Amino acid sequence: MNIHELNYVICIAKHQNITKAAQDLFISQPTLSKHLKKMERDLGLKLFNRIDNCYIPTYAGRRYMEYASRVLALTQDWEKELGDLLSLKDGELTVAFPLMRSSCMLPFILPAFHRLHPHVKVHFLEETHSIQERLLEDSQIDFAIFSEENIHPKLDCEKLGREEILLVVSQKHPMAEGLPDYQRARGCYPSVDWEMLRGETFILNSPEQNTGAVTARLLKEHYVNPSVSFYTRNTQAALLLVQHNEGLCFAPETYVRSTAFDLPPVCFSLRDERAFTSTVAAYRKGAYLPVYARDFISSAREYFVTFTSGGRYPRCQ
Protein backbone atom coordinates (compact mmCIF):
# COMPACT_ATOMS: atom_id res chain seq x y z
CA MET A 1 0.00 0.00 0.00
CA ASN A 2 1.53 3.32 -1.13
CA ILE A 3 0.25 6.87 -1.42
CA HIS A 4 -0.49 6.52 -5.13
CA GLU A 5 -2.55 3.38 -4.57
CA LEU A 6 -4.52 5.07 -1.78
CA ASN A 7 -5.36 7.97 -4.08
CA TYR A 8 -6.30 5.62 -6.92
CA VAL A 9 -8.89 3.76 -4.87
CA ILE A 10 -10.39 6.92 -3.34
CA CYS A 11 -10.61 8.60 -6.74
CA ILE A 12 -12.31 5.60 -8.39
CA ALA A 13 -14.83 5.49 -5.55
CA LYS A 14 -15.45 9.23 -5.87
CA HIS A 15 -16.27 9.06 -9.59
CA GLN A 16 -17.53 5.44 -9.68
CA ASN A 17 -16.04 5.42 -13.17
CA ILE A 18 -12.55 4.33 -14.17
CA THR A 19 -12.26 6.76 -17.12
CA LYS A 20 -13.25 9.83 -15.11
CA ALA A 21 -10.98 8.77 -12.26
CA ALA A 22 -8.04 8.39 -14.65
CA GLN A 23 -8.66 11.88 -16.06
CA ASP A 24 -8.75 13.31 -12.53
CA LEU A 25 -5.48 11.52 -11.68
CA PHE A 26 -3.81 12.56 -14.97
CA ILE A 27 -3.01 8.99 -15.95
CA SER A 28 -4.36 6.80 -18.72
CA GLN A 29 -7.41 4.61 -18.18
CA PRO A 30 -5.53 1.37 -19.06
CA THR A 31 -2.79 2.26 -16.54
CA LEU A 32 -5.34 2.85 -13.77
CA SER A 33 -7.16 -0.41 -14.60
CA LYS A 34 -3.86 -2.27 -14.49
CA HIS A 35 -3.00 -0.83 -11.06
CA LEU A 36 -6.45 -1.69 -9.68
CA LYS A 37 -6.24 -5.30 -10.90
CA LYS A 38 -2.76 -5.69 -9.38
CA MET A 39 -3.94 -4.25 -6.04
CA GLU A 40 -6.92 -6.60 -5.91
CA ARG A 41 -4.70 -9.55 -6.87
CA ASP A 42 -2.15 -8.71 -4.16
CA LEU A 43 -4.87 -8.24 -1.53
CA GLY A 44 -6.82 -11.32 -2.57
CA LEU A 45 -10.02 -9.22 -2.36
CA LYS A 46 -12.26 -7.34 -4.73
CA LEU A 47 -12.36 -3.63 -3.90
CA PHE A 48 -15.11 -2.79 -6.41
CA ASN A 49 -18.09 -4.45 -7.96
CA ARG A 50 -18.35 -3.64 -11.66
CA ILE A 51 -21.94 -2.94 -12.71
CA ASP A 52 -21.93 -1.88 -16.37
CA ASN A 53 -19.41 0.99 -16.30
CA CYS A 54 -20.06 1.83 -12.67
CA TYR A 55 -17.53 0.91 -9.97
CA ILE A 56 -19.26 0.35 -6.61
CA PRO A 57 -17.02 -0.23 -3.56
CA THR A 58 -17.38 -3.63 -1.90
CA TYR A 59 -17.34 -3.94 1.89
CA ALA A 60 -13.58 -4.56 1.66
CA GLY A 61 -13.28 -1.50 -0.59
CA ARG A 62 -15.11 0.69 1.89
CA ARG A 63 -12.89 -0.51 4.73
CA TYR A 64 -9.80 0.09 2.57
CA MET A 65 -10.95 3.67 1.92
CA GLU A 66 -11.48 4.34 5.62
CA TYR A 67 -7.85 3.44 6.32
CA ALA A 68 -6.66 5.19 3.16
CA SER A 69 -8.33 8.46 4.19
CA ARG A 70 -6.68 8.30 7.61
CA VAL A 71 -3.24 7.56 6.14
CA LEU A 72 -3.55 10.43 3.64
CA ALA A 73 -4.67 12.83 6.37
CA LEU A 74 -1.69 11.86 8.55
CA THR A 75 0.67 12.24 5.59
CA GLN A 76 -0.65 15.73 4.87
CA ASP A 77 -0.38 16.71 8.54
CA TRP A 78 3.25 15.61 8.56
CA GLU A 79 4.05 17.54 5.40
CA LYS A 80 2.51 20.70 6.91
CA GLU A 81 4.37 20.31 10.18
CA LEU A 82 7.61 19.56 8.36
CA GLY A 83 7.12 22.78 6.41
CA ASP A 84 6.80 24.68 9.67
CA LEU A 85 9.88 22.98 11.10
CA LEU A 86 11.90 23.92 8.04
CA SER A 87 10.48 27.46 8.18
CA LEU A 88 9.40 27.36 4.55
CA LYS A 89 7.70 30.51 3.29
CA ASP A 90 5.63 28.63 0.74
CA GLY A 91 2.57 26.56 1.51
CA GLU A 92 -0.98 25.70 0.50
CA LEU A 93 -4.22 26.08 2.39
CA THR A 94 -7.66 24.72 1.48
CA VAL A 95 -10.64 26.29 3.22
CA ALA A 96 -14.33 25.45 2.80
CA PHE A 97 -16.92 28.24 3.13
CA PRO A 98 -20.67 28.49 2.74
CA LEU A 99 -21.18 30.11 -0.65
CA MET A 100 -22.68 33.40 0.61
CA ARG A 101 -20.46 33.72 3.69
CA SER A 102 -17.34 33.68 1.50
CA SER A 103 -18.51 36.68 -0.54
CA CYS A 104 -18.67 38.80 2.63
CA MET A 105 -15.59 37.55 4.47
CA LEU A 106 -12.94 36.93 1.82
CA PRO A 107 -12.54 40.54 0.61
CA PHE A 108 -11.61 41.42 4.20
CA ILE A 109 -9.63 38.33 5.24
CA LEU A 110 -7.55 37.55 2.15
CA PRO A 111 -5.64 40.87 1.80
CA ALA A 112 -4.74 40.80 5.51
CA PHE A 113 -3.65 37.17 5.23
CA HIS A 114 -1.50 37.78 2.15
CA ARG A 115 0.29 40.63 3.86
CA LEU A 116 1.47 38.04 6.41
CA HIS A 117 1.99 35.12 4.00
CA PRO A 118 2.39 36.42 0.44
CA HIS A 119 3.64 33.09 -0.92
CA VAL A 120 0.98 30.81 0.57
CA LYS A 121 -1.50 29.63 -2.05
CA VAL A 122 -5.09 29.53 -0.76
CA HIS A 123 -7.79 27.35 -2.32
CA PHE A 124 -11.46 27.95 -1.49
CA LEU A 125 -14.29 25.46 -1.73
CA GLU A 126 -17.65 27.24 -1.71
CA GLU A 127 -20.36 24.91 -0.50
CA THR A 128 -24.14 25.33 -0.52
CA HIS A 129 -24.95 22.71 2.14
CA SER A 130 -23.60 19.79 4.22
CA ILE A 131 -20.32 21.56 4.82
CA GLN A 132 -19.46 19.46 7.90
CA GLU A 133 -19.90 16.23 5.95
CA ARG A 134 -17.68 17.55 3.16
CA LEU A 135 -15.00 18.46 5.70
CA LEU A 136 -15.04 14.96 7.19
CA GLU A 137 -14.97 13.25 3.80
CA ASP A 138 -12.29 15.34 2.08
CA SER A 139 -8.86 15.17 3.73
CA GLN A 140 -7.62 17.91 1.37
CA ILE A 141 -9.66 20.50 3.32
CA ASP A 142 -7.68 22.03 6.17
CA PHE A 143 -10.67 23.59 7.90
CA ALA A 144 -14.11 25.02 7.21
CA ILE A 145 -15.77 28.25 8.32
CA PHE A 146 -19.54 28.15 8.81
CA SER A 147 -22.43 29.00 11.14
CA GLU A 148 -23.67 25.95 12.98
CA GLU A 149 -24.84 25.22 16.50
CA ASN A 150 -24.43 21.44 16.36
CA ILE A 151 -20.84 20.47 15.65
CA HIS A 152 -20.07 16.89 14.56
CA PRO A 153 -18.32 14.94 17.34
CA LYS A 154 -15.42 14.11 15.02
CA LEU A 155 -14.63 17.81 14.62
CA ASP A 156 -12.88 20.38 16.79
CA CYS A 157 -13.89 24.01 16.43
CA GLU A 158 -12.92 27.53 17.43
CA LYS A 159 -15.52 30.27 17.80
CA LEU A 160 -14.89 33.23 15.49
CA GLY A 161 -17.78 35.49 16.41
CA ARG A 162 -21.40 35.88 17.43
CA GLU A 163 -23.74 38.24 15.63
CA GLU A 164 -27.36 39.31 15.60
CA ILE A 165 -29.82 38.65 12.78
CA LEU A 166 -31.35 42.05 11.94
CA LEU A 167 -34.50 43.25 10.21
CA VAL A 168 -33.43 45.39 7.23
CA VAL A 169 -35.63 48.03 5.57
CA SER A 170 -35.08 50.76 2.99
CA GLN A 171 -34.57 54.38 4.04
CA LYS A 172 -37.63 55.05 1.88
CA HIS A 173 -39.82 52.72 3.96
CA PRO A 174 -42.31 54.28 6.41
CA MET A 175 -40.66 52.37 9.30
CA ALA A 176 -37.50 54.42 8.75
CA GLU A 177 -39.27 57.78 8.91
CA GLY A 178 -38.71 59.92 11.95
CA LEU A 179 -35.76 57.97 13.34
CA PRO A 180 -33.05 60.16 14.87
CA ASP A 181 -29.78 60.25 12.96
CA TYR A 182 -27.99 58.18 15.60
CA GLN A 183 -30.45 55.35 15.03
CA ARG A 184 -29.48 55.30 11.37
CA ALA A 185 -25.82 54.89 12.33
CA ARG A 186 -24.04 51.57 12.00
CA GLY A 187 -24.08 49.44 15.10
CA CYS A 188 -27.05 51.19 16.71
CA TYR A 189 -30.35 49.48 16.04
CA PRO A 190 -33.81 50.43 17.36
CA SER A 191 -36.13 47.63 18.45
CA VAL A 192 -38.51 46.17 15.91
CA ASP A 193 -42.26 46.62 16.36
CA TRP A 194 -43.64 43.29 15.21
CA GLU A 195 -47.12 44.79 14.81
CA MET A 196 -45.82 47.00 12.01
CA LEU A 197 -44.62 43.97 10.04
CA ARG A 198 -48.09 42.61 9.41
CA GLY A 199 -49.01 43.03 5.76
CA GLU A 200 -45.44 43.82 4.72
CA THR A 201 -43.73 42.17 1.75
CA PHE A 202 -40.55 40.21 2.54
CA ILE A 203 -37.60 38.74 0.68
CA LEU A 204 -36.82 35.74 2.90
CA ASN A 205 -33.92 33.34 3.19
CA SER A 206 -34.57 29.74 2.22
CA PRO A 207 -36.00 27.74 5.16
CA GLU A 208 -33.02 25.32 5.20
CA GLN A 209 -30.64 28.20 5.92
CA ASN A 210 -29.97 29.17 9.53
CA THR A 211 -31.28 32.73 9.08
CA GLY A 212 -34.35 31.46 7.24
CA ALA A 213 -35.22 28.92 9.93
CA VAL A 214 -34.74 31.34 12.85
CA THR A 215 -36.76 34.19 11.32
CA ALA A 216 -39.58 31.93 10.11
CA ARG A 217 -40.02 30.73 13.69
CA LEU A 218 -40.03 34.28 15.09
CA LEU A 219 -42.51 35.54 12.49
CA LYS A 220 -44.86 32.71 13.41
CA GLU A 221 -44.53 33.39 17.14
CA HIS A 222 -45.38 37.05 16.62
CA TYR A 223 -48.37 36.17 14.40
CA VAL A 224 -46.86 37.78 11.33
CA ASN A 225 -47.96 36.00 8.16
CA PRO A 226 -45.72 37.75 5.63
CA SER A 227 -46.36 38.28 1.97
CA VAL A 228 -43.21 36.75 0.45
CA SER A 229 -41.89 38.28 -2.75
CA PHE A 230 -39.52 35.30 -3.11
CA TYR A 231 -37.14 33.05 -1.19
CA THR A 232 -33.41 33.21 -1.84
CA ARG A 233 -30.13 31.76 -0.57
CA ASN A 234 -28.39 34.95 -1.70
CA THR A 235 -28.52 37.31 1.30
CA GLN A 236 -26.54 40.05 -0.45
CA ALA A 237 -29.01 40.08 -3.36
CA ALA A 238 -31.86 40.46 -0.86
CA LEU A 239 -30.06 43.37 0.84
CA LEU A 240 -29.44 45.17 -2.44
CA LEU A 241 -33.12 44.82 -3.36
CA VAL A 242 -34.21 46.07 0.06
CA GLN A 243 -32.26 49.32 -0.37
CA HIS A 244 -34.56 50.09 -3.32
CA ASN A 245 -37.65 49.33 -1.21
CA GLU A 246 -38.49 46.05 -2.98
CA GLY A 247 -39.39 44.48 0.36
CA LEU A 248 -37.98 43.78 3.83
CA CYS A 249 -35.44 41.11 4.70
CA PHE A 250 -33.52 39.60 7.60
CA ALA A 251 -29.73 39.38 7.53
CA PRO A 252 -26.82 38.71 9.91
CA GLU A 253 -25.09 41.91 10.97
CA THR A 254 -21.82 41.15 9.13
CA TYR A 255 -23.67 40.83 5.81
CA VAL A 256 -25.22 44.27 6.28
CA ARG A 257 -22.07 46.01 7.44
CA SER A 258 -19.77 44.53 4.78
CA THR A 259 -22.11 45.20 1.83
CA ALA A 260 -21.52 48.31 -0.31
CA PHE A 261 -24.83 50.14 -0.70
CA ASP A 262 -25.78 53.13 -2.85
CA LEU A 263 -28.45 53.90 -0.27
CA PRO A 264 -27.60 52.27 3.09
CA PRO A 265 -30.67 50.59 4.62
CA VAL A 266 -32.00 50.97 8.16
CA CYS A 267 -31.72 48.03 10.54
CA PHE A 268 -33.83 46.99 13.51
CA SER A 269 -32.89 44.66 16.37
CA LEU A 270 -35.23 41.70 16.94
CA ARG A 271 -34.37 41.83 20.68
CA ASP A 272 -34.43 38.05 20.99
CA GLU A 273 -31.54 35.84 22.15
CA ARG A 274 -32.55 33.26 19.54
CA ALA A 275 -31.89 35.79 16.77
CA PHE A 276 -28.15 35.35 17.04
CA THR A 277 -25.82 33.10 15.10
CA SER A 278 -22.29 31.93 15.88
CA THR A 279 -19.63 31.29 13.25
CA VAL A 280 -16.83 28.77 13.84
CA ALA A 281 -13.68 27.45 12.22
CA ALA A 282 -13.85 23.65 12.36
CA TYR A 283 -11.31 20.94 11.52
CA ARG A 284 -10.93 17.20 12.01
CA LYS A 285 -10.04 16.17 15.57
CA GLY A 286 -6.29 15.95 16.03
CA ALA A 287 -5.52 17.61 12.69
CA TYR A 288 -2.33 19.66 12.52
CA LEU A 289 -2.80 23.29 11.47
CA PRO A 290 0.34 25.06 10.25
CA VAL A 291 1.19 28.57 11.38
CA TYR A 292 -0.34 30.18 8.31
CA ALA A 293 -3.63 28.32 8.88
CA ARG A 294 -3.72 29.71 12.42
CA ASP A 295 -3.11 33.19 11.02
CA PHE A 296 -5.99 32.79 8.56
CA ILE A 297 -8.30 31.85 11.44
CA SER A 298 -7.07 34.88 13.38
CA SER A 299 -7.88 37.12 10.39
CA ALA A 300 -11.36 35.59 10.25
CA ARG A 301 -11.85 36.32 13.96
CA GLU A 302 -10.75 39.92 13.40
CA TYR A 303 -13.42 40.24 10.69
CA PHE A 304 -16.12 39.62 13.30
CA VAL A 305 -14.54 42.12 15.69
CA THR A 306 -14.64 44.73 12.91
CA PHE A 307 -18.10 44.08 11.48
CA THR A 308 -20.23 43.20 14.52
CA SER A 309 -21.35 44.82 17.73
CA GLY A 310 -19.67 42.13 19.79
CA GLY A 311 -22.55 39.66 20.00
CA ARG A 312 -24.70 41.93 22.17
CA TYR A 313 -27.64 44.28 21.77
CA PRO A 314 -26.04 47.60 20.72
CA ARG A 315 -26.92 50.53 22.97
CA CYS A 316 -28.00 53.80 21.42
CA GLN A 317 -27.03 56.82 23.46
Side-chain angles (χ1 to χ4, degrees):
M1 183 186 294
N2 59 49
I3 295 298
H4 291 303
E5 291 175 346
L6 302 178
N7 280 314
Y8 292 164
V9 173
I10 288 175
C11 196
I12 294 170
K14 173 184 174 183
H15 293 286
Q16 295 189 348
N17 180 279
I18 199 82
T19 302
K20 290 180 180 178
Q23 291 171 349
D24 199 3
L25 293 164
F26 299 102
I27 62 174
S28 69
Q29 184 267 327
T31 298
L32 183 56
S33 296
K34 180 181 176 182
H35 277 291
L36 178 58
K37 288 177 182 176
K38 181 180 183 301
M39 290 165 59
E40 290 181 327
R41 184 172 64 251
D42 292 344
L43 291 169
L45 292 167
K46 285 287 186 184
L47 297 177
F48 295 92
N49 286 318
R50 283 74 162 175
I51 303 173
D52 296 328
N53 290 323
C54 193
Y55 281 62
I56 307 298
T58 62
Y59 173 74
R62 294 194 298 274
R63 292 293 292 155
Y64 183 100
M65 284 188 292
E66 288 179 23
Y67 282 96
S69 297
R70 285 151 63 182
V71 171
L72 288 172
L74 284 171
T75 301
Q76 289 163 5
D77 284 349
W78 164 241
E79 289 174 350
K80 293 168 189 171
E81 185 166 0
L82 178 61
D84 280 350
L85 293 171
L86 296 173
S87 299
L88 295 176
K89 293 182 178 180
D90 296 332
E92 289 195 12
L93 187 62
T94 302
V95 186
F97 272 93
L99 181 61
M100 289 311 304
R101 176 63 72 181
S102 68
S103 64
C104 290
M105 295 183 70
L106 291 183
F108 176 87
I109 296 173
L110 204 54
F113 175 77
H114 276 153
R115 284 194 291 272
L116 291 173
H117 302 284
H119 302 295
V120 173
K121 189 178 295 184
V122 187
H123 306 282
F124 297 108
L125 299 178
E126 296 174 312
E127 303 292 326
T128 56
H129 64 283
S130 303
I131 195 165
Q132 293 196 70
E133 289 78 0
R134 178 69 190 276
L135 175 59
L136 288 165
E137 291 170 359
D138 191 343
S139 61
Q140 299 292 325
I141 300 175
D142 293 287
F143 59 89
I145 290 176
F146 55 90
S147 297
E148 182 65 62
E149 297 300 325
N150 301 311
I151 305 299
H152 195 284
K154 291 185 178 180
L155 296 176
D156 283 329
C157 71
E158 299 178 24
K159 187 174 177 180
L160 300 178
R162 182 173 184 262
E163 61 183 311
E164 187 177 8
I165 297 170
L166 303 169
L167 172 70
V168 189
V169 308
S170 169
Q171 286 191 25
K172 302 174 184 178
H173 192 277
M175 287 178 65
E177 293 179 3
L179 289 179
D181 288 342
Y182 71 78
Q183 288 189 320
R184 294 178 181 272
R186 285 183 168 185
C188 185
Y189 313 118
S191 299
V192 67
D193 182 348
W194 291 94
E195 294 284 338
M196 294 183 68
L197 301 187
R198 292 173 184 168
E200 291 289 345
T201 298
F202 283 80
I203 303 167
L204 293 180
N205 286 90
S206 299
E208 66 270 17
Q209 291 175 279
N210 185 55
T211 299
V214 168
T215 53
R217 188 163 57 246
L218 291 175
L219 287 167
K220 184 176 180 180
E221 288 181 8
H222 289 277
Y223 304 101
V224 177
N225 186 19
S227 170
V228 181
S229 177
F230 63 91
Y231 289 92
T232 180
R233 299 188 67 89
N234 191 329
T235 302
Q236 282 192 318
L239 287 168
L240 293 173
L241 287 168
V242 164
Q243 74 172 333
H244 297 298
N245 210 18
E246 293 293 325
L248 283 62
C249 79
F250 297 99
E253 186 179 16
T254 54
Y255 283 72
V256 180
R257 296 185 66 180
S258 60
T259 297
F261 295 102
D262 295 326
L263 184 66
V266 176
C267 298
F268 292 83
S269 169
L270 304 185
R271 286 300 190 273
D272 193 309
E273 280 298 322
R274 294 167 296 175
F276 281 81
T277 182
S278 293
T279 300
V280 301
Y283 40 86
R284 291 174 297 279
K285 280 191 178 294
Y288 176 77
L289 294 181
V291 171
Y292 51 80
R294 289 285 174 194
D295 285 340
F296 191 99
I297 291 173
S298 294
S299 295
R301 191 175 287 111
E302 184 63 28
Y303 166 85
F304 282 92
V305 172
T306 302
F307 287 104
T308 70
S309 303
R312 54 180 170 75
Y313 298 131
R315 293 182 180 179
C316 297
Q317 309 203 349

